């Protein structure tokens, strides 16, 4: 009898999750058609959350409808419910195995959940159906990226672009690859191309904004991502990028508002939650930071790799909280050792609290590397005169001579408005190390501020010649185009 | 056949954009002949490639790749290798590249398919539902396990559990509503509705209606009135997507534990399915669902017979709709008089092959029906 009871419980449990219904054939057919139209319309508007319920109902009744299952998969993927999307695509592809885009979408969903081995066959199938199909090559390139085979990935992206010069995702993905590799110049070129061939391509605008942000082109970054937000207001990724750009600019309030806007769209949005956690951490509100991580981690849609990443970040916040609490207590009670103060100053600097970091470090009477660190904190805190005092002294006493100290001192002098002395410091730096990249750029800046455009242009050109793909190359090219438009940079 | 087995190397994944000059290739070509594209592979499986060239000596070597890694290099025909695809069903990318002595190459790629097999238990317990009839097609009651022997690919197995199955059943009632059913629709409705009344209160059923489109009219319920309303509402129109409907029924029953059955009524052959017959037959073999098929009028008997007998079910053929009532009654009777039989398989090789099952009665006058086998995929048998 025990056997029978178990079976009954299982059967009943199986039904609990189902939304049972029964209806007449004619009504079911009409309703399925209406629901499919409603869902597809919502999907086309980019409103994936609204598209899912009608498409789920349509797919649950129109059992051999390819569009019902395919659009359901697309909408679920749009809503980051990748595992459910894979189930829907599986049925869609059973019904129409030769559907090119469905094969690619299935690959994309597998990639999103971090299953490269399942993703690759989907793209290969699409490539078999239509050789040199750009979305398939682009998908395979992302597979190669995930397998850390960057060369092969780049070759495949280029094949995708050779096959379809108007295929914006390949420009975007290749640009993103360069962006992550720190090759900002190449990244910007490709991303600009992506939004040129498809001006309404949100992911391209998103990555371009991020690249501009990394280059320090704040205005361009904000304008670009605002355009993406305008085009795709329901995509939290664009709000996340705006938050990231603003965070990079030190605009915590604006960044926080943008991340909040992202989680208003998707409460578990991992980037939004991570951004808010970072802001809370910088404010020293560790409990809030952990709340944000927990909200993101509670989301069953979170892919494994992203989950691991967030869990690691959460761990580091927990560790930082424990360390900060102990250090603050010792500082407050007067029992802190100099090492405690050095550690706490590093934590404060990590939150962007440079003023306090400098004070804590200063109180330890720092020597050597710690003194250099103090100069940096003072610089970041805007206390340029104090920073200059230390840099000048360190540069004068360094044996052997160090170009980087001279550059830092020059940059500090420039912030004090003493461009003549700053120029001398940069020249000393370049005498020590003629390849010093920032020395050249800053020297050019000093000339420019003093009105010596020709010397500035010479310094900039020298920089570009030595570092054509350097981190400041794009900025320098733009300045050169302004000051010496007739000459090719 | 001289073979050079080399260490597995991570190599360029995608074939070189086989953008070689056709003239230069001069008919040099490679084609993977086994496994077939979209087949499923498990365990140690032979990969074969056929190379065409002006002379066999033109072929320098053939490299075989699985998942972008070289697994074998063959320098002489036949170009083949054995690769162990493991016990888990998944999609694989298999590539073969043939290199011409003059330095150019051609390639072929196939992608295999993942097979979906439901499983509930870790132990390798095989469960069968068995129907026993005598020479006059009467169902036999009150039997014990001593009356039966079970063979897997000819090897005897030890029966662990055997009892008359009285637990609830989950059922899909599948009705053809293609245009050709128009004249007989009233009788079909009445017969299907009376079949609903044979369900016990604890049984559950769903209703699928199909022409060229397949619709779920009623999800699983034990509400007889709702089920009867659904089966009585079908309207005859359109072509016949028979295989799509059967696949949908298998899909709807997937994940539900216990005895499951599909009771299908159709008056014609498939004319508009997106699924092919082979896929449906594979599904019938992979899932533990009894299929009872009723062919009304002039239908291709072999399809319904093969499919249903593969699952341990049965096909019935009637000339007129007025005979449907009797057939539905017979199916209901069979479902009420079946035996549950389980055993722990002696199979230890999980290589995806189809293991043939045979349940024999010790009484030679009796006929025993049960599913004809299962795929040797780990975790797939305890359903």
């Amino acid at each position: 009898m025990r056997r029978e009871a178990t079976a009954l419980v299982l059967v009943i449990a199986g039904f609990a999750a189902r939304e049972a219904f029964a209806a007449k054939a004619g009504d079911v057919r009409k309703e399925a058609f209406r629901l499919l139209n409603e869902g597809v319309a919502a999907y086309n508007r980019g409103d994936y959350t609204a598209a899912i319920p009608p498409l789920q109902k349509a797919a649950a009744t129109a059992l051999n409808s390819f569009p019902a299952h395919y659009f359901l998969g697309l909408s679920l993927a749009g809503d980051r419910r990748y595992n459910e999307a894979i189930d829907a695509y599986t049925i869609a592809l059973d019904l129409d195995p030769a559907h090119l885009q469905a094969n690619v979408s299935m690959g994309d969903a597998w990639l999103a959940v971090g299953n490269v081995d399942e993703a690759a066959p989907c793209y290969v199938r699409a490539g078999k159906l239509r050789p040199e199909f750009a979305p398939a090559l682009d998908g395979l390139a992302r597979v190669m990226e995930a397998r850390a085979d960057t060369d092969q990935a780049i070759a495949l992206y280029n094949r995708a672009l050779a096959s379809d010069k108007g295929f914006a995702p390949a420009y975007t993905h290749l640009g993103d690859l360069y962006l992550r590799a720190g090759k900002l110049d190449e990244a910007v070129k490709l991303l600009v191309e992506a939004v040129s061939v498809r001006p309404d391509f949100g992911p391209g605008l998103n990555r371009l904004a991020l690249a501009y942000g990394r280059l320090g082109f704040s205005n361009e970054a904000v304008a670009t991502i605002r355009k993406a937000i305008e085009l795709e207001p329901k995509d939290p990724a664009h709000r996340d990028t705006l938050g990231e750009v603003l965070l990079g600019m030190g605009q915590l309030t604006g960044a926080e508002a943008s991340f909040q806007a992202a989680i208003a769209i998707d409460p578990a949005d991992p980037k939004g939650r991570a951004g808010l956690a970072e802001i809370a951490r910088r404010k020293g509100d560790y409990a809030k930071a952990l709340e944000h991580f927990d909200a993101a981690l509670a989301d069953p849609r979170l892919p494994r790799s992203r989950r691991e990443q967030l869990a690691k970040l959460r761990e580091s916040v927990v560790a930082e909280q424990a360390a900060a609490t102990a250090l603050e207590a010792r500082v407050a009670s007067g029992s802190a050792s100099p090492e405690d103060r050095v550690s706490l100053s590093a934590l404060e600097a990590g939150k962007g609290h440079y003023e306090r970091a400098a004070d804590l470090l200063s109180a330890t009477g720092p020597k050597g590397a710690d003194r250099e660190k103090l100069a940096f904190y003072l610089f970041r805190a805007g206390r340029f005169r104090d920073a200059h005092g230390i840099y000048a002294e360190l540069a004068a006493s360094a044996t052997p001579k160090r170009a980087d100290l001279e550059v830092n001192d020059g940059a500090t002098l420039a912030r004090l408005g003493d461009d003549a002395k700053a120029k001398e410091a940069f020249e000393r730096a370049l005498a020590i190390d003629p390849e010093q990249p920032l020395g050249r750029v800053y020297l050019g800046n000093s000339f420019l501020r003093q009105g010596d455009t020709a010397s500035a242009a010479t310094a900039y050109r020298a920089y570009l010649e030595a570092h054509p793909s350097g981190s400041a190359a794009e900025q320098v090219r733009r300045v050169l185009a302004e000051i010496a438009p007739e000459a090719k940079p | 056949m001289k073979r050079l087995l080399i260490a597995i190397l991570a190599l360029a994944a995608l074939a070189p954009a086989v953008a070689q000059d056709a003239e230069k290739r001069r008919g040099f070509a490679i084609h993977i002949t086994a496994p077939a594209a979209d087949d499923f592979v498990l365990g140690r499986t032979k990969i074969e490639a056929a190379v065409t060239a002006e002379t066999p000596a033109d072929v320098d070597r053939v490299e075989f790749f699985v998942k972008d890694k070289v697994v074998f290099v063959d320098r002489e025909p036949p170009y083949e290798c054995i690769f162990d695809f493991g016990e888990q069903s998944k999609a694989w990318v298999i590539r073969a590249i043939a290199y011409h002595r003059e330095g150019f190459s051609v390639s072929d790629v196939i992608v295999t398919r993942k097979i979906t097999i439901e499983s509930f238990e870790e132990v390798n317990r095989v469960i069968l539902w068995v129907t026993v009839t005598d020479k006059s097609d009467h169902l036999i009651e009150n039997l014990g396990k001593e009356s039966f022997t079970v063979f897997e690919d000819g090897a005897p197995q030890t029966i662990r559990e055997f009892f008359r199955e009285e637990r609830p059943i989950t059922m899909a009632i599948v009705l053809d509503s293609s245009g050709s059913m128009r004249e007989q629709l009233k009788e079909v409705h009445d017969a299907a509705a009376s079949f609903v009344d044979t369900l016990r209160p604890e049984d559950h059923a769903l209703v699928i209606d199909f022409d060229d489109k397949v619709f779920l009219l009623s999800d699983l319920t034990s509400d007889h009135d709702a089920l009867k309303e659904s089966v009585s509402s079908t309207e005859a129109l359109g072509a016949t997507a028979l295989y799509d409907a059967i696949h949908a029924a298998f899909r709807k029953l997937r994940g539900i534990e216990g005895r499951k059955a599909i009771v299908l009524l159709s008056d014609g052959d498939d004319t508009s399915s997106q699924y092919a017959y082979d896929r449906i037959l594979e599904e019938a073999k992979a899932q533990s669902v009894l299929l009872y098929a009723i062919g009304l009028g002039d239908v291709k008997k072999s399809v319904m017979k093969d499919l249903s007998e593969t699952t341990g079910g049965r096909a019935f053929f009637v000339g007129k709709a007025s005979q449907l009532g009797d057939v539905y009654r017979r199916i209901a009777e069979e479902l009420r008089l079946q035996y549950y039989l389980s055993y722990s398989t002696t199979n230890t090789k999980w290589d995806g092959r189809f293991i043939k099952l045979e349940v024999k009665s010790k009484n030679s006058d009796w006929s025993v029906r049960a599913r004809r086998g299962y795929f040797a995929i780990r975790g797939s048998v305890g359903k």
Side-chain angles (χ1 to χ4, degrees), chain B residues 302-324:
Chain B
S302 60
V303 167
M304 284 189 170
K305 203 164 165 349
D306 281 356
L307 281 174
S308 55
E309 289 179 3
T310 296
T311 68
R314 186 173 173 183
F316 299 88
F317 300 97
V318 294
K320 291 182 288 187
S322 58
Q323 297 167 286
L324 286 173

Side-chain angles (χ1 to χ4, degrees), chain B residues 114-307:
Chain B
K114 182 178 181 173
I115 185 171
T116 309
I117 304 260
E118 56 181 334
S119 68
F120 293 109
E121 297 170 65
E122 289 300 315
V123 291
N124 294 320
R125 189 163 60 107
V126 180
I127 294 171
L128 303 172
W129 280 277
V130 179
T131 308
V132 191
T133 52
D134 64 16
K135 277 188 168 167
S136 311
D137 201 27
H138 292 125
L139 294 156
I140 312 286
E141 292 184 64
N142 303 320
L143 296 173
K145 71 175 171 184
E146 64 286 348
S147 306
F148 299 93
T149 44
V150 180
F151 297 90
E152 270 195 6
D153 283 340
Q157 307 291 312
T158 307
I159 297 171
R160 302 237 171 252
E161 291 177 289
F162 186 93
F163 54 86
R164 183 165 162 184
E165 181 59 277
E166 287 173 333
R167 292 173 294 180
I169 188 166
T170 308
M171 202 178 302
I173 301 169
V174 183
L175 295 171
D176 183 344
S177 61
S178 57
S180 51
M181 294 288 283
R182 191 168 298 124
E183 303 303 317
Q184 313 172 85
L185 214 51
K186 173 75 176 71
E187 281 161 309
V188 168
H189 288 164
D190 291 346
S194 63
F195 177 66
V196 168
D197 277 331
T198 67
L199 299 176
R200 298 166 302 172
E202 62 271 30
D203 295 332
H204 287 79
L206 58 84
V207 179
I208 289 173
D209 155 43
F210 72 97
D211 42 47
D212 53 328
K213 295 186 172 61
V214 181
F215 287 95
L216 180 71
L217 300 190
S218 171
D219 209 342
L220 283 170
T221 180
S222 55
D223 180 340
H224 289 197
D225 290 340
L227 290 166
K228 284 197 278 188
E229 184 183 41
S230 293
V231 297
S232 306
S233 69
T234 62
E235 294 163 23
L237 198 76
T240 309
L242 175 64
Y243 302 152
D244 282 5
I246 298 173
H247 192 275
F250 276 123
R251 207 165 67 223
K252 290 297 294 179
L253 294 177
R254 209 180 273 160
I256 295 169
E257 199 164 357
R259 190 167 49 130
K260 295 172 282 188
I262 296 169
V263 180
L264 163 77
L265 167 67
S266 179
D267 77 333
D269 304 328
D270 190 279
T271 56
S272 64
S273 276
Q274 295 164 90
Y275 283 94
Y277 173 72
D278 288 351
R279 277 300 305 278
I280 304 306
L281 184 61
E282 179 189 294
E283 198 74 22
K285 288 175 172 177
Q287 313 302 335
S288 181
V289 177
L290 297 152
L291 172 64
Y292 288 90
I294 308 169
L296 174 60
D298 187 20
V299 296
K300 200 188 275 178
K301 290 184 178 173
S302 60
V303 167
M304 284 189 170
K305 203 164 165 349
D306 281 356
L307 281 174

Side-chain angles (χ1 to χ4, degrees), chain A residues 228-242:
Chain A
I229 291 171
E230 202 179 302
L231 285 165
E232 297 172 347
K234 299 226 169 193
D235 190 340
H238 303 323
R239 318 272 175 172
D240 291 332
T241 296
L242 177 58

Side-chain angles (χ1 to χ4, degrees), chain A residues 333-372:
Chain A
S333 68
S335 63
S337 66
E339 289 75 23
D340 286 341
R341 287 176 190 279
V342 171
S343 301
L344 189 57
S345 75
L347 284 183
E348 288 295 292
K351 292 177 194 168
H353 301 167
Y354 291 106
E355 182 76 41
R356 183 158 188 247
D359 288 345
L360 283 160
L361 194 56
S362 185
T364 66
K367 302 265 183 295
D370 281 344
R371 194 155 171 73
E372 202 176 319

